[in-house]
Amino acid sequence: MTKPENQNQSLDGELLAQFVSLVGEPYALFQEEDKRKFLVEWRDKYVGSSPLVLLPGSVEEVSAIVKLAAETKTALVPQGGNTGLVGGQIPDHQNRQIVVSLNRMNKVRSISPLSNSMVVDAGVTLLEAQQEALSNDRLFPLSLASEGSCQIGGNISSNAGGIQVLKYGMMRDLVLGLEVVLPSGEIWHGLTDLRKDNTGYDLKHLFMGAEGTLGIITAATLKLFPKPLERQVGFVGCTSLEQLSEFFNFVSGETGSFLSAFEMICRTGVEFVLKHGSQSQEPLDAVFPWYGLIELESTKEGLLGGFLEDVLGRALERGFIEDGVISSSEAQRKNLWALREEMSEMQKPEGGSIKHDVSVPVAAIPQFIKQGNELVERMIPGARPVPFGHFGDGNIHYNISQPVDMDKQAFLEQWEPLSNAVYDLVLEFGGSISAEHGIGVMKRDLLAEKKSSVEMNLMRTIKQSLDPDNIMNPGKVF
Ligand code: FAD
Ligand code: ZN
């Protein structure tokens, strides 16, 4: 990839002053204490340095920043809510990349309940977008644990997933149009709300999942859906993943479009949550190695209670589950979800955790996890696999907690060899090394290694033609 010519020089004061003048001094951060929250991600895993953080207030200001960057070959790092898990939103250590935060571009521009669409600035948080839709009797279905902080622009750039992908798709599926500042500084006004538009290449898909390497998204037209009036959760226990898989097959057929989530949790994970989390009660009378959490939703009230009970009853009779419970109140629904949602956080008190966000075909999940667990035991005897995640999407968060008596550092030193073996297994099953978190810097080298040269060359060709000087988030993805 071509590097900016000035990549080995630090940015001079005059150039920085020009950038500052484009947004106004109050919105240009120089001081270390002001910049800090933009340069560190929440886990402290990625820490970068930057001479300047810019907070533009309009698409015109973003365009002016990018034009100046293009002229001077200055690298830019677009940033949304800074909740990304692969380091894509953090500049490198060279103190030459300018962070462009979308925080101030946080308005809902318009909403059309009749067209089921809404136009929002890129800096609107996911939670604000959801709330705006709800207050207009509509649903914006993307749902992530980070929704209070992550932004629509970040969600689009990372093609976020989450817990309702089974019914509504990933972020990519929820966008009708985009407004993007291209690496030249030109603005692409693509904020259509057309459902059908076959006029050549569908350009918006270039920028979705591009992790800020092809331009800065400044606004989006989002798809809205009817607002569900009722939700019901079922929590079931199974003796094997094969059984859980049969239950998934059964429940998908029985519940059709009512089914909005099908999540999987392993016993080890449940134990971690019971020990460290807000939940202290066993979800079911007996203990099972595998649990499934399903959610049904309906736009008509009063339909679901009896329906879910009937489905679970028949699943029990036919041997697809061993036991099950249904939420009888909103509080109980939240409690059951907490078992799944606290899964990531509650691995922390158990020491080191080596994490993988991978996907395999849904039918291959039982075999993948079986072989994965055998592989882990061979490489680090006593290590504790904690697989959980979006079973219905084939997306497993294949996390491994350290053996109880092992030194944390010694365990974490095994990250690379262990992950390499896990990723090779994923590929053997026809899976993906990144299901929903993206590539960023974390998986950059891995991507080049594991993806075919045809695919890598195609991606490089696109990057090169849109951003020949590599000013847009250099060092990420490639
Ligand atoms: P950032 O972290 O700021 O940026 C992410 C990437 O997008 C970076 O490469 C950045 O350069 C680029 N970018 C940001 N804004 C723009 C823009 N306007 N234009 C161009 N490029 C831009 N992810 C999931 O998919 N599913 C989950 O279930 C999930 N759960 C999470 C739970 C927690 C507790 C946390 C902390 C994270 C979770 N994530 C999850 C990851 C993260 O929240 C998502 O990737 C989210 O979409 C990132 O949005 P953001 O606004 O924080 O983006
Ligand atoms: Zn997830």
Side-chain angles (χ1 to χ4, degrees):
M1 188 58 46
T2 334
K3 289 188 174 164
E5 273 169 18
N6 67 352
Q7 208 156 52
N8 292 320
Q9 303 156 16
S10 57
L11 300 181
D12 71 37
E14 205 174 303
L15 177 58
L16 293 179
Q18 283 182 51
F19 276 109
V20 173
S21 71
L22 299 176
V23 293
E25 255 178 55
Y27 305 116
L29 312 178
F30 278 107
Q31 304 296 337
E32 288 308 319
E33 65 266 28
D34 297 334
K35 288 187 295 185
R36 185 163 168 79
K37 74 173 180 148
F38 299 90
L39 303 180
V40 183
E41 55 101 85
W42 66 293
R43 298 163 301 183
D44 279 347
K45 194 174 165 79
Y46 298 98
V47 184
S49 73
S50 169
L52 189 59
V53 175
L54 296 173
L55 296 143
S58 67
V59 60
E60 290 76 20
E61 286 185 7
V62 176
S63 166
I65 292 168
V66 180
K67 270 190 187 135
L68 180 58
E71 280 163 22
T72 56
K73 298 189 177 157
T74 307
L76 301 175
V77 181
Q79 189 178 97
N82 191 6
T83 68
L85 296 172
V86 290
Q89 72 279 20
I90 302 292
D92 67 14
H93 294 287
Q94 313 286 323
N95 205 36
R96 290 188 312 265
Q97 304 182 338
I98 294 180
V99 175
V100 181
S101 162
L102 278 292
N103 280 4
R104 282 180 63 224
M105 294 187 59
N106 56 6
K107 304 275 180 308
V108 174
R109 294 195 191 174
S110 63
I111 181 159
S112 168
L114 202 58
S115 296
N116 272 313
S117 65
M118 169 166 85
V119 180
V120 298
D121 282 347
V124 165
T125 66
L126 175 53
L127 186 64
E128 287 161 350
Q130 292 167 346
Q131 285 170 343
E132 182 68 23
L134 286 180
S135 65
N136 283 273
D137 238 8
R138 293 291 182 273
L139 172 77
F140 182 65
L142 192 78
S143 178
L144 317 176
S146 53
E147 61 203 20
S149 310
C150 65
Q151 299 176 359
I152 293 300
N155 298 149
I156 296 172
S157 302
S158 58
N159 186 26
I163 52 177
Q164 302 214 82
V165 172
L166 185 62
K167 179 163 181 179
Y168 296 100
M170 294 188 62
M171 190 62 181
R172 183 186 287 289
D173 302 303
L174 303 173
V175 174
L176 291 169
L178 288 181
E179 179 185 85
V180 183
V181 175
L182 304 175
S184 59
E186 233 179 328
I187 303 170
W188 174 45
H189 296 282
L191 284 177
T192 173
D193 64 359
L194 294 177
R195 306 261 157 178
K196 289 187 157 187
D197 179 11
N198 270 348
T199 50
Y201 299 159
D202 194 342
L203 296 174
K204 63 179 178 289
H205 283 287
L206 275 178
F207 305 97
M208 300 201 270
E211 302 184 41
T213 59
L214 297 178
I216 302 185
I217 296 169
T218 48
T221 315
L222 304 178
K223 276 188 202 170
L224 303 179
F225 296 83
K227 177 168 120 182
L229 294 180
E230 194 186 9
R231 287 200 168 99
Q232 278 277 349
V233 162
F235 198 91
V236 304
C238 291
T239 49
S240 70
L241 276 173
E242 283 77 8
Q243 191 185 23
L244 188 68
S245 197
E246 285 183 2
F247 175 60
F248 174 60
N249 184 37
F250 174 75
V251 92
S252 304
E254 292 286 319
T255 60
S257 61
F258 289 115
L259 184 64
S260 60
F262 190 110
E263 299 282 309
M264 173 200 84
I265 312 172
C266 66
R267 176 66 199 171
T268 313
V270 167
E271 278 169 10
F272 289 179
V273 175
L274 294 179
K275 195 163 146 199
H276 308 291
S278 66
Q279 281 287 82
S280 53
Q281 275 208 321
E282 281 284 351
L284 300 172
D285 291 340
V287 162
F288 297 98
W290 300 102
Y291 298 94
L293 184 156
I294 66 170
E295 182 157 87
L296 304 189
E297 61 176 35
S298 162
T299 50
K300 194 166 158 54
E301 251 168 318
L303 268 186
L304 295 179
F307 179 44
L308 185 56
E309 203 173 328
D310 173 63
V311 171
L312 292 196
R314 280 182 295 118
L316 194 64
E317 266 170 35
R318 296 178 59 177
F320 297 136
I321 56 175
E322 299 298 322
D323 194 7
V325 63
I326 293 171
S327 61
S328 55
S329 64
E330 187 55 19
Q332 204 190 358
R333 187 179 84 85
K334 288 201 167 123
N335 279 347
L336 290 171
W337 263 116
L339 279 168
R340 162 65 185 86
E341 281 168 349
E342 291 179 9
M343 197 73 21
S344 274
E345 201 55 24
M346 295 316 137
Q347 286 159 42
K348 262 191 212 156
E350 292 289 327
S353 169
I354 296 179
K355 299 178 193 300
H356 307 93
D357 160 44
V358 297
S359 63
V360 293
V362 176
I365 294 175
Q367 266 308 309
F368 164 69
I369 292 182
K370 180 172 177 284
Q371 291 186 30
N373 291 357
E374 287 166 3
L375 179 150
V376 168
E377 181 58 24
R378 270 199 311 277
M379 291 183 74
I380 311 177
R384 297 165 294 166
V386 193
F388 67 97
H390 319 292
F391 190 98
D393 312 322
N395 178 188
I396 308 300
H397 295 306
Y398 190 67
N399 294 0
I400 299 143
S401 282
Q402 66 170 82
V404 177
D405 48 7
M406 191 173 181
D407 172 61
K408 181 175 173 182
Q409 207 43 46
F411 173 71
L412 292 178
E413 276 162 20
Q414 298 301 308
W415 193 309
E416 208 181 313
L418 185 67
S419 286
N420 252 319
V422 168
Y423 291 133
D424 283 342
L425 185 66
V426 166
L427 294 177
E428 271 175 43
F429 280 96
S432 166
I433 59 164
S434 179
E436 59 176 6
H437 297 163
I439 299 299
V441 277
M442 184 191 248
K443 294 185 179 174
R444 180 189 59 198
D445 300 340
L446 195 68
L447 186 77
E449 208 181 291
K450 307 285 184 200
K451 226 169 161 74
S452 78
S453 58
V454 173
E455 287 168 305
M456 285 308 294
N457 284 339
L458 257 176
M459 295 208 312
R460 285 197 186 99
T461 305
I462 293 169
K463 169 75 173 166
Q464 180 74 36
S465 67
L466 264 77
D467 183 17
D469 291 320
N470 194 19
I471 61 164
M472 279 295 167
N473 218 358
K476 312 295 165 49
V477 183
F478 300 101

